[in-house]
Amino acid sequence: MLFLVPVLLASSALGATYTLSDTHVGSDFLTSFVHEAIPDPTSGRVNYVDQATATSKNLTYAMGDTLILRADSTTVLTPSGPGRDSVRIKSVKSYTTHVTVFDIRHMPQGLGTWPAAWETLEDGWPASGEVDILEGANDVAPNQMTLHTSPGCTMPATRDQTGTTATTDCGDSAGANVGCGVHAPAANSYGTAFNANGGGWYGMERTPEFVKIWFWARNAANVPSGVSTGADTVITENWGTPTAYFPNTSCDIATKFGANNIIINLTFCGAWAGTTFNSAGGVGACNTYVESNPSVFDQAYWDIAGVRVYQ
Ligand SMILES: *[C@@H]1O[C@H](CO)[C@@H](O)[C@H](O)[C@H]1NC(C)=O
Ligand SMILES: *[C@@H]1O[C@H](CO)[C@@H](O)[C@H](O)[C@H]1NC(C)=O
Ligand SMILES: *[C@@H]1O[C@H](CO)[C@@H](O)[C@H](O)[C@H]1NC(C)=O
């Protein structure tokens, strides 16, 4: 009897097993991430503040198992002045082959918002690639997952994923910056429906051969136990078909991607949310809306239960 147990364990552990290397929960984020008070690279109507300002204004709040990152929702802005105060944080560490699991209770919501949870190396972008795990604009669901690389990386239109291919050229050709995107199948992967459902988990696995992204809604029946419990090890082979799959068929993932930092940001308008503001139901100019209506941004916050990195 006793001898059977190790045999069964060994067979179930076949495949890629990753071990927890970094746990970011609550106040961990105040030392393992830096607040980037930088000008918005995408021309958003935002003013990214530093950590001292963010904590003193309670835009960043870390306590127990909670990290809140939010935008100012009380100040009317002058059109010639700085944008709306918000927060952008970047992990101190960077990673190559790894798994990141985001446990998110609430994401920024509101017309004009453009939130993102993603990974890249800012220096020399996009030489080390970019993986957008959770991103969208103006509350328009579903989530869009996207790779950005230097030119010469494309994705097959059809591949083993539950999401829908939107664009296939990951390369930053002529500064178009569209990337190769995949739309998640479920509306509750993003924005209002995501928040109404208590959020959920995003998992991303990057190897030299592929990038895979999974989404599990908070109440999904198929959340892997290692994901929901923040276990010390995860076995991605047991996670099922990914929501988005980016294989190396016509993209050398190993050379298109280098070490990436994890970044969580919230901007307004700009290159994505600004250009789609009217089609998403906004009236007038996105910047004017953001300047004049602070209270509509009271739901423009991240509530993050944890970010775990496995290697
Ligand atoms: C926020 O994240 C997205 C990720 O896709 C990035 O393209 C954009 O530059 C970032 N915006 C700001 C303002 O930081
Ligand atoms: C700061 O934000 C947290 C989370 O929303 C809230 O619980 C707390 O009361 C706020 N603190 C102050 C001083 O407003
Ligand atoms: C893709 O990765 C596989 C290993 O999984 C490797 O055998 C193959 O050569 C790679 N293909 C390309 C085009 O790089």
Side-chain angles (χ1 to χ4, degrees):
M1 278 287 281
L2 283 175
F3 295 112
L4 286 174
V5 174
V7 173
L8 290 172
L9 283 177
S11 66
S12 69
L14 285 175
T17 300
Y18 293 83
T19 303
L20 185 63
S21 67
D22 297 288
T23 302
H24 310 284
V25 174
S27 58
D28 297 337
F29 285 98
L30 301 180
T31 50
S32 58
F33 280 64
V34 293
H35 282 62
E36 293 187 282
I38 56 171
D40 182 356
T42 51
S43 320
R45 195 72 184 101
V46 75
N47 179 46
Y48 285 128
V49 299
D50 62 25
Q51 183 165 320
T53 307
T55 52
S56 75
K57 292 187 168 179
N58 211 26
L59 302 179
T60 296
Y61 169 84
M63 184 71 77
D65 67 354
T66 298
L67 173 73
I68 306 283
L69 303 171
R70 74 179 122 222
D72 168 277
S73 60
T74 57
T75 310
V76 174
L77 307 175
T78 47
S80 56
R84 185 158 297 289
D85 281 356
S86 184
V87 176
R88 170 177 169 127
I89 62 170
K90 176 174 87 169
S91 65
V92 172
K93 287 194 186 175
S94 58
Y95 306 95
T96 53
T97 294
H98 70 291
V99 170
T100 307
V101 177
F102 298 83
D103 181 350
I104 301 172
R105 302 186 187 100
H106 187 282
M107 65 176 292
Q109 186 180 314
L111 208 50
T113 59
W114 173 7
W118 53 302
E119 301 191 359
T120 197
L121 183 75
E122 290 162 347
D123 287 346
W125 184 94
S128 293
E130 172 179 332
V131 182
D132 299 329
I133 296 150
L134 171 53
E135 187 180 22
N138 292 312
D139 289 342
V140 177
N143 181 43
Q144 180 169 313
M145 298 147 285
T146 308
L147 300 192
H148 295 269
T149 66
S150 58
C153 167
T154 60
M155 289 295 138
T158 304
R159 47 210 210 249
D160 193 14
Q161 60 185 11
T162 61
T164 306
T165 300
T167 48
T168 55
D169 189 352
C170 314
D172 172 36
S173 315
N177 294 1
V178 174
C180 51
V182 174
H183 292 143
N188 66 11
S189 58
Y190 188 85
T192 312
F194 177 89
N195 293 338
N197 203 34
W201 295 267
Y202 273 92
M204 193 279 292
E205 177 182 15
R206 200 189 116 194
T207 75
E209 285 96 35
F210 59 79
V211 175
K212 294 178 179 175
I213 299 171
W214 290 261
F215 169 64
W216 300 278
R218 185 65 63 195
N219 56 355
N222 64 337
V223 191
S225 62
V227 169
S228 57
T229 61
D232 288 343
T233 57
V234 291
I235 305 172
T236 49
E237 277 208 350
N238 298 341
W239 286 6
T241 305
T243 313
Y245 175 45
F246 302 96
N248 70 347
T249 319
S250 51
C251 176
D252 188 354
I253 303 274
T255 62
K256 292 294 182 189
F257 285 82
N260 281 354
N261 300 99
I262 303 166
I263 304 179
I264 301 170
N265 66 355
L266 166 60
T267 188
F268 301 95
C269 308
W272 186 352
T275 55
T276 57
F277 178 72
N278 296 125
S279 62
V283 175
C286 186
N287 283 357
T288 307
Y289 180 79
V290 168
E291 289 155 6
S292 320
N293 300 291
S295 65
V296 302
F297 299 109
D298 66 346
Q299 294 296 305
Y301 68 91
W302 294 98
D303 179 348
I304 296 174
V307 174
R308 291 179 173 79
V309 181
Y310 298 81
Q311 286 178 292

